[in-house]
Amino acid sequence: MWVKPEEVLLANALWVTERANPYFILQKRKGYGGGGLTGLLVGTLDTVLDNKTYPYRILHQTPGSEVSYSVAVATNKREISKDWEWLEQHLMQTLSAFESDEESTDFVRCKIESLLANRVVLKEDEETERFKSATKKFRKLFNMPKEEKLVNYYSCSYWKGKVPRQGWMYLSVNHLCFYSFLMGREAKLILRWTDITKLDRGNNMLFPDSVKVSTREADHFFSMLLHSNESYRLMEQLANMAMRQLMQEGGFEEDTSISIRTKRKTSKKMSSLKRDLDARARSEAFRQAFRLPDGEKLDGDEECTLWTPYNKQHVWGRVYLSNNYLCFASRVGIPVRDLVTVIVPLRDILVVEKVDNSVSGNLIQKALHITTKGKMNFTFAQFDDRNFILEKISDFLSKQSVNRSRRSTSTSSDGKGSISEEPAEVQFQPALISLFCRRDSDELSSRETVKQHLWDVYFSEYGRGMCSYRTHRTLELILKGIPDKYRGETWMIFSGALNEMNTNTGYYANIVNQSKGKSTIATEEIERDLHRSLPEHPAFQTDLGIGALRRVLTSYAWRNPNIGYCQAMNIVTSVLLLYTSEEDAFWLLTAICERLLPDYYNTKVVGALIDQGVFEELIRDYIPSLYQKLDTLGLLSMISLSWFLTIFLSVMPFNCAVNILDCFFFDGAKVIFQIALTILDNKSSELLACAEDGEAMTVLCQYLENVTNRDSTMPQVQHTSNMSRSEDQSSVDVTDLIDSSYRKFGIITNQDIERLRLKYRLRVVQTIEDNVMKNIVRSVSSDTLFEGKELADLYILFKEEYLTSCYWRTSQQPVDTSDKYDPARPYYEQYKVDFDQYKTMFLSLSPWATGSHAGVVALRSFRYLDSNKDNMVNFKEFVHLLGVQCKGDFNQRLRLMYILHQPPCLLPDEKDEETPTSPQSDSTESAVEATDFFDDDDAGNAQKECDGADDLELPSVPAVKATAPRDIPASIGEKACPPGSLPLGSVEREASLGESVGEESSQDPTENSSIDSPTRSISSKSSFKRFELKRIRADSKDDFRSIPRMNQYQFIQMWKTLYDMFNEHEEEQQLYHAIATIGTLLLQIGEVGKRFMRKSESGDSSLFTESDLPLSSSIDSQSDMSISPSQRTLESSSPFESHVNTPTNSSNPPAGKHNLTNKPLAEGDSVASVKDPNSNVTDEQNSVTKGDNDDKSKGDNSDVKGDNSVKSKGGNSQKELKAEDSLKENVSEEENGNSSQKSGNSVDASRESRSSIASEGQQSYEESSQNSSKPDSEWSISFEQFLASMLTEPVLVKYFEKQYNVCDSVSKMRNRRLQTQMSTFSQASAQSNS
């Protein structure tokens, strides 16, 4: 990159010259490879100080001058070399023509400046350039994809042990990362936000102004943060976003409109994501302060004054503007009597106009007068930019008219249209007290009459409805209790439910019709609880009240399936229906569940558990003497859930609890904490005297049951839990209780509650995740051979891969709402992965993923597990298959290998592909997030810089001999197959994978089995017998015969897989020799079987001899499948010997027959029928067989060649070819007697027997191979023949009985971003030093 020429006095200070000519020198900064101690110091300084010096530069320097001029800089060698070549090609010849150095220098400076002048570069803010550079550095340092978005970075110290490492903390959407480079040594840390269990701030002598980040594995300390408050708030925000993702399985989506909303007020000195997160926090605080719907986003705010007509004053405050609302809040710190809040929905605004004179005649500056449809007038003045505010309001008002027309259209077509279809069936009820407790005005008590009069005066003075002035007077009236006449109206206004109802006109009627007649799990639970909801009230003893309650609860469950229905909701809704209409009750329930008490009523009651932790801390802060006692009794969790979930409606008479609801809808969640603290404080002396939890609960229950309401107009109805009310118990009035709570604990604010909720959300969600992990591990332990720590580590890895797909959008998860929220859904179905994620884990963990075509094995195993064809694999299926590969016995692994090469795992027309595509790639598109990281105008440059992130060079690490991490786990000691190991079972059981394989197991799945121990201990003889009987049943011949036979094409593919698996194994040559021998034998066995099948079809049984029968017949009769593989291998005779040696020992064979070895078939050979010396079959019959083989066995040549010479149709490596060539040489040496063999060895005897069969059929085999071009369709073998043949080779038995521990492989895969980058640094450093 060309730069404006500037003088450089010390050209060689901290720089190393790499190339030079008479006019230019190319230099590299020390610390970026080489340089010794000076280089280490320079690299350290550049990293710690975040120096933006480019690592490469070109200087113009003439021989007669000591002053140099910088002309070009670059971040990598490729760019600087390109500039160097341009200088040599275009300037060198011209410069040599100048007579003086001054002239050449002037020419170079003019030329470079002209290049800069002709280049069009958009001038960016310095901070923006620094952030882009940090983003590239972050991705390169931690090997992050472009989907991982950096939010901000801060300078800090990371305490590694007792030594601080100064470096940089990088905060991205999903990770907290740290990097330090000091004196050639790196310190790296990558933490996922989903792994963080606690965030704390501290300030002590050891860690001044520090942040403690806790995970399940360790605690990490960061100190000396440059902006500690800002960084900690951002860490809290990102961590809580991650917790919400864990609960809701969603990813972060950037708000693309943030740049437009903040363009006027925010400079581009921070990343767009940082501005996005700041705007989210401000919008959330804005919604909570004014009780606005969830989708409302703060557009901006401005300081101004508001004219308050009730006291004739101008009150200073801030006006807040969003798309649908204009709100005002007075300044904090002014007298309480002057506090005022106003909410003006833009849908209610009639006129907005400029005014310069007040109503009183006084001159006011830059004022706006707003008139609403309800004849309310608001005058805002002292704006800094009145025209801009007016323009924004006008713009939003124009959008309101469009939105209203759209809503009316959708309502007439969807909502009201559906109502008119069945008008007689859907009749919404008004407030139930108007039907069941109707009273005339003359029947009201004096207290109720006075309250109504006070509220009428308030409405006339401060306004009525959403646009009223809310002052301290409002709170005073609410604390005394709202009259029944106005209770429903005020609940709707102060809770904000009125805004949602007016915004969604006709929504409730539409959703009632949609949910009518639908049967779900939620509706079944609702039906069970309908008659348990306030049964003492007459309204819910009739169909009118029950029907309204049913419709409200069912509609909300239909609206929000994530929550559905929770038992406490019926109690809350029944009280709401008494004072509000049916539709109003629905929107009040929505406000409670989604805004006022978020996450309280979902299946895991996360919100209630979080508030339980908040309540505990408040008790510790405000009633410390009582906290220790309650904690000892274990009472905190019991009282908080029952009190908070029903807002005290279930623990005290509902006509008293409605006064608490009055304050709750006005002041928010802080009210329930205030009331709870007051109750405990009032009974603290009695609670401290309690000896057990039951006694303490009795004290609290009696106190709550005796709460009264002297102003209640409802008929005295005894509470269901108040049947044994003690007469000597003193009662307390609910008004006094509420008033006391505000006096004692009114200092608690909703902001304090939200801050504590952020703190405890981490702990609660991580505790839930730990319990889920235990349940999942417990539920799958009977279906896998993994145990203890291995199974837990695999679950953590599986969950991380699933979450990665969610927040990076690397794959699209299937959406099935009914299944997703089904409580009967198994725990292990919670997380599923697609083929791409499965392949990544398979290649890293499976011991079978060792060759160049391991991806093909991964694809076939994925098809095997995907029995329901949804292109997803759950955790249970994954660990089942991986457990067989890592922990299974010989029979289990060979059975799996055999099944993986049969349909549906192996398709008939499948081609060998080194990188198979995902099974769902044709039908499902990848849901990669399309939003750019930077603003739209910088999208092109950002993409270019992201693409060039690999060119960024960083300070190098001293060369360390490092090996690339291997994905293949090494065996940590061998373990014999336990007697109680789980068999694979029949094909049907393996295909379903849903049944428990080890339901009779008595082992504890959470216990870690000893790896060094050869067998697992069995608790008793009876359990041992159960294991033994099950194993024998699984290995029985009937079970084996249920497996389909394998044709020649499938056999060829399986042998290609075996050749590929053994590549680069420590016993590679022995394994190749073994499978070449067994492959030859199995091909010949298949030919014998084909001949047998032909003869059986012809019906000429007289032609059969013992040698013509398939070898499996004698194997089945003489081999005991219940014997362990190790015992079978060590026996004196192989399963083949007993059969094959029978004819040869009964007569004198031709000379030399017994000296033949088991030579593998040569290239081009094909298997024909095997002619036995003692057979009575005539030559004519043999010729018929030969002719049939010529017609039926076309294609054997090429495919048998692929099996016996490693270079097959699948394209195996040259290394395998060499291995096969050496195998043939070894066989030839054996034929010549060069290798001595011990007599009496069972393995040698079986090889000798098999070689006799091979030599007898060799001639016809070679003849039939002349016309072969594709696999023989009649050729087949059984699983029994395959298993028995593999048992004859000890090296194969050893290979397939080896036990693997996956803990190290899982750890490597989880930390692969650190290892990959560190390996890259080491290799780059080694190359630079060399």
Side-chain angles (χ1 to χ4, degrees):
M1 179 175 66
W2 306 113
V3 295
K4 184 178 180 179
E6 295 181 357
E7 291 186 0
V8 178
L9 296 178
L10 298 176
N12 295 320
L14 307 180
W15 293 84
V16 178
T17 300
E18 291 199 336
R19 301 171 69 177
N21 59 37
Y23 297 98
F24 299 99
I25 55 175
L26 190 153
Q27 293 183 329
K28 181 177 181 179
R29 188 168 177 81
K30 293 180 180 180
Y32 291 82
L37 180 61
T38 306
L40 294 178
L41 290 172
V42 174
T44 301
L45 289 174
D46 287 349
T47 304
V48 172
L49 301 177
D50 196 26
N51 197 332
K52 298 305 177 183
T53 304
Y54 288 90
Y56 293 93
R57 71 180 182 182
I58 297 177
L59 301 180
H60 167 63
Q61 187 176 30
T62 56
S65 174
E66 296 181 357
V67 178
S68 304
Y69 293 90
S70 60
V71 295
V73 293
T75 57
N76 56 75
K77 195 169 185 178
R78 180 175 56 83
E79 291 182 6
I80 205 69
S81 298
K82 183 178 179 181
D83 293 339
W84 179 266
E85 292 173 0
W86 189 91
L87 292 173
E88 287 188 331
Q89 293 175 6
H90 296 85
L91 297 187
M92 289 301 296
Q93 186 175 1
T94 305
L95 291 175
S96 61
F98 289 104
E99 297 180 355
S100 64
D101 294 341
E102 291 77 4
E103 292 178 351
S104 60
T105 300
D106 292 340
F107 175 77
V108 170
R109 295 182 63 179
C110 291
K111 186 65 176 177
I112 298 300
E113 289 176 356
S114 65
L115 291 175
L116 291 173
N118 292 329
R119 187 181 62 181
V120 178
V121 179
L122 295 176
K123 185 62 177 176
E124 290 184 335
D125 189 275
E126 181 181 357
E127 291 293 329
T128 304
E129 292 182 356
R130 289 169 64 90
F131 187 82
K132 289 184 179 181
S133 176
T135 300
K136 291 195 292 184
K137 187 176 180 180
F138 162 73
R139 290 175 180 166
K140 188 171 183 66
L141 281 173
F142 304 105
N143 195 25
M144 293 291 178
K146 64 180 181 179
E147 288 84 10
E148 183 65 10
K149 301 178 185 297
L150 179 66
V151 180
N152 214 346
Y153 63 106
Y154 302 93
S155 174
C156 68
S157 292
Y158 170 59
W159 289 79
K160 198 170 184 181
K162 295 183 179 180
V163 179
R165 301 294 299 268
Q166 184 66 29
W168 292 87
M169 176 196 291
Y170 296 87
L171 304 180
S172 66
V173 173
N174 302 294
H175 295 87
L176 183 154
C177 304
F178 177 84
Y179 178 77
S180 173
F181 180 86
L182 294 175
M183 301 303 296
R185 298 186 62 185
E186 283 187 316
K188 271 191 180 184
L189 178 70
I190 299 179
L191 299 177
R192 299 171 182 85
W193 291 117
T194 52
D195 292 337
I196 292 176
T197 59
K198 190 175 183 181
L199 279 176
D200 269 335
R201 294 187 69 179
N203 192 2
N204 51 46
M205 294 295 294
L206 184 59
F207 303 115
D209 197 17
S210 63
V211 175
K212 178 183 175 183
V213 181
S214 301
T215 64
R216 293 179 178 87
E217 292 81 15
D219 295 331
H220 306 275
F221 294 90
F222 300 90
S223 62
M224 299 178 64
L225 286 158
L226 190 59
H227 304 284
S228 58
N229 292 331
E230 176 188 340
S231 59
Y232 184 76
R233 284 198 305 269
L234 183 58
M235 292 166 69
E236 262 193 336
Q237 191 176 5
L238 291 171
N240 279 275
M241 282 173 50
M243 295 305 103
R244 294 183 184 278
Q245 290 173 16
L246 279 178
M247 292 293 97
Q248 301 173 3
E249 301 177 5
F252 174 80
E253 294 188 10
E254 186 178 357
D255 184 3
T256 55
S257 65
I258 188 66
S259 59
I260 301 174
R261 300 204 313 269
T262 60
K263 184 177 293 183
R264 176 177 177 268
K265 308 220 19 125
T266 308
S267 64
K268 293 185 63 176
K269 289 190 177 183
M270 61 177 71
S271 71
S272 60
L273 278 180
K274 179 65 169 61
R275 286 182 287 151
D276 187 349
L277 292 174
D278 290 345
R280 285 172 185 247
R282 286 171 53 81
S283 295
E284 186 172 359
F286 167 66
R287 291 192 297 267
Q288 291 175 355
F290 299 104
R291 306 284 192 275
L292 301 180
D294 280 340
E296 209 62 30
K297 297 177 182 178
L298 178 63
D299 188 82
D301 58 284
E302 187 78 28
E303 193 171 34
C304 65
T305 62
L306 172 65
W307 170 255
T308 52
Y310 52 85
N311 60 359
K312 307 295 190 291
Q313 289 184 1
H314 291 280
V315 179
W316 276 98
R318 298 192 74 86
V319 64
Y320 300 88
L321 189 62
S322 67
N323 289 352
N324 300 294
Y325 298 91
L326 185 149
C327 305
F328 177 87
S330 55
R331 279 181 181 174
V332 177
I334 65 175
V336 175
R337 64 179 182 276
D338 293 333
L339 292 177
V340 60
T341 301
V342 171
I343 301 173
V344 183
L346 296 187
R347 64 177 180 271
D348 293 338
I349 293 180
L350 190 62
V351 177
V352 180
E353 55 187 348
K354 295 179 182 180
V355 293
D356 293 319
N357 293 316
S358 66
V359 179
S360 59
N362 298 326
L363 181 65
I364 56 175
Q365 297 178 351
K366 300 180 179 178
L368 290 176
H369 184 77
I370 296 176
T371 304
T372 67
K373 298 176 182 177
K375 306 305 180 184
M376 291 288 293
N377 296 297
F378 301 95
T379 302
F380 300 94
Q382 306 295 331
F383 285 109
D384 289 338
D385 191 347
R386 179 176 62 174
N387 292 332
F388 178 78
I389 297 295
L390 180 61
E391 181 182 347
K392 295 293 291 185
I393 295 175
S394 301
D395 184 34
F396 290 144
L397 285 175
S398 63
K399 294 178 182 178
Q400 287 292 315
S401 59
V402 176
N403 293 337
R404 277 196 296 270
S405 61
R406 289 179 180 176
R407 285 197 299 269
S408 61
T409 303
S410 62
T411 302
S412 60
S413 60
D414 299 332
K416 293 186 178 179
S418 58
I419 294 174
S420 60
E421 295 175 2
E422 301 176 274
E425 294 187 13
V426 181
Q427 294 181 357
F428 299 146
Q429 301 300 326
L432 295 180
I433 60 169
S434 64
L435 301 177
F436 293 91
C437 302
R438 180 178 298 175
R439 292 188 179 187
D440 297 329
S441 59
D442 55 350
E443 297 179 4
L444 296 177
S445 64
S446 59
R447 289 179 178 272
E448 185 74 6
T449 305
V450 170
K451 284 198 296 185
Q452 284 192 10
H453 175 70
L454 292 176
W455 277 90
D456 289 335
V457 173
Y458 170 81
F459 289 146
S460 62
E461 186 174 356
Y462 294 91
R464 186 172 181 175
M466 183 60 66
C467 299
S468 62
Y469 294 93
R470 306 179 190 190
T471 66
H472 70 287
R473 180 61 178 161
T474 312
L475 180 60
E476 290 175 359
L477 290 176
I478 288 176
L479 291 180
K480 295 177 181 179
I482 303 175
D484 292 345
K485 178 180 179 181
Y486 299 133
R487 178 162 278 143
E489 177 186 348
T490 54
W491 282 0
M492 290 292 291
I493 293 171
F494 295 139
S495 67
L498 182 63
N499 288 325
E500 293 185 89
M501 185 178 71
N502 291 336
T503 305
N504 301 276
T505 307
Y507 178 89
Y508 176 69
N510 187 25
I511 203 170
V512 166
N513 283 277
Q514 289 180 10
S515 60
K516 188 190 304 180
K518 301 296 193 318
S519 177
T520 63
I521 296 176
T523 58
E524 296 174 2
E525 295 177 352
I526 291 170
E527 290 296 327
R528 287 198 298 266
D529 290 343
L530 283 177
H531 294 279
R532 305 174 190 171
S533 308
L534 217 61
E536 64 271 18
H537 197 281
F540 297 100
Q541 297 171 3
T542 64
D543 291 338
L544 288 178
I546 295 296
L549 182 61
R550 177 188 291 112
R551 285 190 294 272
V552 173
L553 293 175
T554 305
S555 299
Y556 186 77
W558 185 264
R559 164 189 167 89
N560 192 345
N562 187 23
I563 292 178
Y565 170 73
C566 179
Q567 282 189 339
M569 294 168 62
N570 63 320
I571 299 175
V572 175
T573 308
S574 60
V575 175
L576 297 179
L577 284 169
L578 290 177
Y579 297 97
T580 64
S581 67
E582 188 175 325
E583 184 175 8
D584 291 352
F586 171 80
W587 288 112
L588 279 172
L589 180 64
T590 301
I592 293 173
C593 295
E594 298 177 9
R595 289 190 290 107
L596 299 175
L597 297 176
D599 301 325
Y600 257 60
Y601 301 100
N602 58 19
T603 55
K604 299 174 183 177
V605 291
V606 180
L609 294 174
I610 292 171
D611 280 356
Q612 176 182 317
V614 173
F615 186 48
E616 291 179 10
E617 179 155 334
L618 291 175
I619 296 175
R620 185 167 55 246
D621 292 342
Y622 291 96
I623 320 176
S625 60
L626 192 60
Y627 172 77
Q628 189 64 38
K629 183 68 176 181
L630 294 178
D631 190 39
T632 304
L633 295 176
L635 206 63
L636 294 174
S637 59
M638 290 188 287
I639 61 177
S640 58
L641 286 179
S642 60
W643 293 359
F644 292 174
L645 277 173
T646 60
I647 321 176
F648 296 96
L649 290 170
S650 64
V651 294
M652 67 172 65
F654 78 89
N655 59 341
C656 302
V658 292
N659 285 42
I660 298 178
L661 274 181
D662 296 341
C663 301
F664 171 74
F665 285 127
F666 181 78
D667 256 345
K670 76 166 196 167
V671 172
I672 60 176
F673 292 99
Q674 292 177 183
I675 298 293
L677 288 172
T678 305
I679 293 172
L680 294 180
D681 186 56
N682 291 344
K683 307 300 291 183
S684 59
S685 58
E686 297 180 39
L687 291 173
L688 289 172
C690 294
E692 57 183 14
D693 57 349
E695 185 180 355
M697 284 298 297
T698 302
V699 170
L700 292 174
C701 288
Q702 289 180 352
Y703 178 81
L704 291 170
E705 289 170 358
N706 285 276
V707 175
T708 60
N709 186 357
R710 58 177 176 266
D711 296 333
S712 176
T713 60
M714 303 291 291
Q716 188 65 33
V717 178
Q718 193 174 18
H719 197 270
T720 54
S721 62
N722 196 13
M723 299 304 179
S724 60
R725 180 172 178 175
S726 59
E727 299 297 334
D728 57 343
Q729 181 74 25
S730 61
S731 62
V732 59
D733 190 80
V734 68
T735 304
D736 297 335
L737 178 65
I738 294 173
D739 185 67
S740 177
S741 71
Y742 271 88
R743 284 188 288 102
K744 291 181 180 179
F745 306 104
I747 192 174
I748 300 173
T749 64
N750 284 313
Q751 288 74 21
D752 296 332
I753 300 299
E754 286 302 317
R755 177 180 54 82
L756 292 174
R757 281 175 173 174
L758 290 178
K759 176 181 178 180
Y760 283 94
R761 184 173 285 112
L762 291 174
R763 189 183 72 176
V764 170
V765 173
Q766 294 294 6
T767 301
I768 292 175
E769 287 298 303
D770 290 341
N771 293 332
V772 169
M773 182 182 74
K774 292 177 183 178
N775 290 329
I776 291 178
V777 168
R778 187 185 306 114
S779 65
V780 304
S781 59
S782 60
D783 295 280
T784 182
L785 298 175
F786 288 115
E787 294 179 344
K789 185 176 185 302
E790 282 185 284
L791 192 55
D793 289 349
L794 285 170
Y795 168 78
I796 293 172
L797 175 65
F798 194 89
K799 185 182 77 170
E800 287 176 354
E801 291 299 314
Y802 168 82
L803 293 176
T804 298
S805 70
C806 291
Y807 57 61
W808 282 346
R809 313 294 191 196
T810 55
S811 64
Q812 186 173 2
Q813 301 293 336
V815 177
D816 187 355
T817 304
S818 60
D819 179 65
K820 180 177 180 181
Y821 302 114
D822 186 359
R825 182 186 186 192
Y827 282 108
Y828 53 78
E829 288 281 350
Q830 187 170 0
Y831 301 126
K832 292 183 179 182
V833 297
D834 62 2
F835 172 69
D836 294 329
Q837 297 166 293
Y838 170 82
K839 179 182 174 183
T840 302
M841 292 187 289
F842 182 89
L843 296 180
S844 300
L845 304 178
S846 173
W848 292 5
T850 58
S852 58
H853 300 293
V856 179
V857 182
L859 177 61
R860 291 170 184 166
S861 62
F862 184 85
R863 292 172 181 159
Y864 166 70
L865 296 177
D866 186 21
S867 56
N868 57 357
K869 306 301 179 186
D870 63 347
N871 291 323
M872 306 296 290
V873 169
N874 62 37
F875 178 67
K876 176 182 175 182
E877 296 166 341
F878 174 73
V879 295
H880 170 81
L881 181 133
L882 190 63
V884 172
Q885 295 177 345
C886 296
K887 305 288 185 181
D889 60 20
F890 186 80
N891 292 358
Q892 289 173 327
R893 298 190 197 188
L894 288 187
R895 182 190 183 95
L896 177 61
M897 176 64 68
Y898 187 90
I899 292 176
L900 289 182
H901 294 83
Q902 288 191 330
C905 306
L906 176 66
L907 303 180
D909 56 347
E910 181 178 325
K911 296 181 181 180
D912 290 337
E913 299 178 1
E914 295 188 11
T915 55
T917 57
S918 171
Q920 62 177 347
S921 59
D922 295 336
S923 59
T924 305
E925 296 182 0
S926 177
V928 179
E929 189 173 359
T931 58
D932 294 329
F933 184 80
F934 302 102
D935 293 338
D936 295 337
D937 54 349
D938 299 330
N941 296 332
Q943 183 62 37
K944 183 185 294 185
E945 294 191 14
C946 290
D947 295 340
D950 292 339
D951 298 331
L952 179 66
E953 296 199 13
L954 303 170
S956 59
V957 183
V960 180
K961 185 176 181 180
T963 57
R966 294 189 62 183
D967 292 333
I968 308 165
S971 174
I972 307 180
E974 292 192 18
K975 179 171 67 172
C977 184
S981 61
L982 303 175
L984 274 176
S986 63
V987 178
E988 292 79 5
R989 288 203 302 272
E990 290 215 342
S992 65
L993 285 177
E995 303 175 7
S996 174
V997 182
E999 64 277 1
E1000 298 179 5
S1001 174
S1002 62
Q1003 291 179 334
D1004 186 359
T1006 61
E1007 292 180 0
N1008 288 329
S1009 58
S1010 174
I1011 298 174
D1012 298 330
S1013 175
T1015 58
R1016 298 191 185 103
S1017 61
I1018 305 298
S1019 59
S1020 63
K1021 291 183 179 180
S1022 60
S1023 60
F1024 176 82
K1025 289 180 180 178
R1026 289 199 302 269
F1027 280 117
E1028 192 70 9
L1029 288 174
K1030 188 172 68 170
R1031 184 177 59 80
I1032 293 174
R1033 286 199 305 269
D1035 289 344
S1036 63
K1037 291 188 293 182
D1038 293 339
D1039 195 35
F1040 283 158
R1041 286 174 179 171
S1042 65
I1043 305 177
R1045 297 178 66 86
M1046 176 175 283
N1047 61 35
Q1048 197 172 77
Y1049 169 74
Q1050 296 165 356
F1051 173 77
I1052 291 170
Q1053 297 301 319
M1054 182 171 66
W1055 237 244
K1056 289 178 181 179
T1057 300
L1058 289 174
Y1059 269 112
D1060 195 55
M1061 281 172 52
F1062 300 151
N1063 188 23
E1064 296 185 359
H1065 192 271
E1066 57 184 3
E1067 297 180 343
E1068 180 179 3
Q1069 293 300 321
Q1070 294 89 330
L1071 290 169
Y1072 282 158
H1073 185 278
I1075 61 173
T1077 303
I1078 293 176
T1080 302
L1081 175 64
L1082 288 175
L1083 285 168
Q1084 294 166 352
I1085 290 174
E1087 287 295 328
V1088 173
K1090 182 178 69 173
R1091 181 179 176 187
F1092 171 76
M1093 295 301 295
R1094 286 179 180 167
K1095 290 179 180 179
S1096 63
E1097 291 174 1
S1098 64
D1100 191 359
S1101 59
S1102 63
L1103 299 177
F1104 298 151
T1105 63
E1106 184 181 357
S1107 62
D1108 288 327
L1109 295 175
L1111 288 173
S1112 61
S1113 62
S1114 59
I1115 293 172
D1116 295 343
S1117 61
Q1118 300 188 28
S1119 61
D1120 185 4
M1121 289 304 183
S1122 66
I1123 303 175
S1124 67
S1126 302
Q1127 292 172 336
R1128 285 182 230 151
T1129 307
L1130 297 176
E1131 286 183 355
S1132 59
S1133 60
S1134 70
F1136 287 96
E1137 188 176 4
S1138 59
H1139 167 74
V1140 179
N1141 287 344
T1142 301
T1144 58
N1145 293 335
S1146 62
S1147 60
N1148 296 325
K1153 286 289 181 182
H1154 293 289
N1155 296 327
L1156 292 175
T1157 62
N1158 52 345
K1159 178 181 179 180
L1161 300 179
E1163 294 186 6
D1165 293 350
S1166 175
V1167 179
S1169 62
V1170 180
K1171 181 177 180 181
D1172 188 87
N1174 297 328
S1175 175
N1176 295 327
V1177 182
T1178 61
D1179 293 339
E1180 293 178 0
Q1181 293 165 342
N1182 288 334
S1183 63
V1184 171
T1185 303
K1186 174 183 175 182
D1188 292 340
N1189 288 340
D1190 291 339
D1191 297 333
K1192 302 288 185 180
S1193 305
K1194 291 183 180 181
D1196 288 356
N1197 179 26
S1198 59
D1199 292 300
V1200 175
K1201 172 183 175 182
D1203 286 290
N1204 295 295
S1205 62
V1206 182
K1207 182 65 178 177
S1208 62
K1209 186 168 67 174
N1212 290 317
S1213 63
Q1214 295 295 328
K1215 185 172 183 179
E1216 295 175 351
L1217 269 176
K1218 294 178 181 178
E1220 184 64 21
D1221 293 339
S1222 63
L1223 170 62
K1224 293 181 179 180
E1225 292 176 3
N1226 293 336
V1227 175
S1228 300
E1229 291 176 1
E1230 291 177 6
E1231 291 178 349
N1232 296 332
N1234 292 334
S1235 59
S1236 61
Q1237 301 183 5
K1238 295 181 180 181
S1239 61
N1241 188 294
S1242 61
V1243 178
D1244 294 339
S1246 65
R1247 289 180 178 176
E1248 186 175 340
S1249 303
R1250 292 195 302 272
S1251 64
S1252 300
I1253 299 175
S1255 60
E1256 291 172 3
Q1258 189 70 23
Q1259 182 177 0
S1260 59
Y1261 168 75
E1262 292 176 352
E1263 291 174 358
S1264 65
S1265 66
Q1266 301 297 326
N1267 299 324
S1268 299
S1269 59
K1270 55 185 178 181
D1272 189 350
S1273 59
E1274 296 184 358
W1275 185 96
S1276 67
I1277 60 171
S1278 68
F1279 174 69
E1280 297 170 278
Q1281 294 167 341
F1282 167 65
L1283 177 62
S1285 302
M1286 296 287 284
L1287 280 168
T1288 61
E1289 293 291 342
V1291 66
L1292 291 175
V1293 175
K1294 177 182 177 183
Y1295 179 87
F1296 283 103
E1297 285 191 338
K1298 187 174 184 179
Q1299 302 291 301
Y1300 296 88
N1301 188 291
V1302 298
C1303 290
D1304 290 343
S1305 300
V1306 169
S1307 179
K1308 287 180 181 178
M1309 186 176 180
R1310 292 187 65 198
N1311 299 320
R1312 61 189 181 274
R1313 302 195 182 280
L1314 285 175
Q1315 294 175 353
T1316 303
Q1317 193 59 42
M1318 292 178 70
S1319 176
T1320 304
F1321 277 131
S1322 300
Q1323 294 172 3
S1325 179
Q1327 292 175 1
S1328 63
N1329 290 338
S1330 63

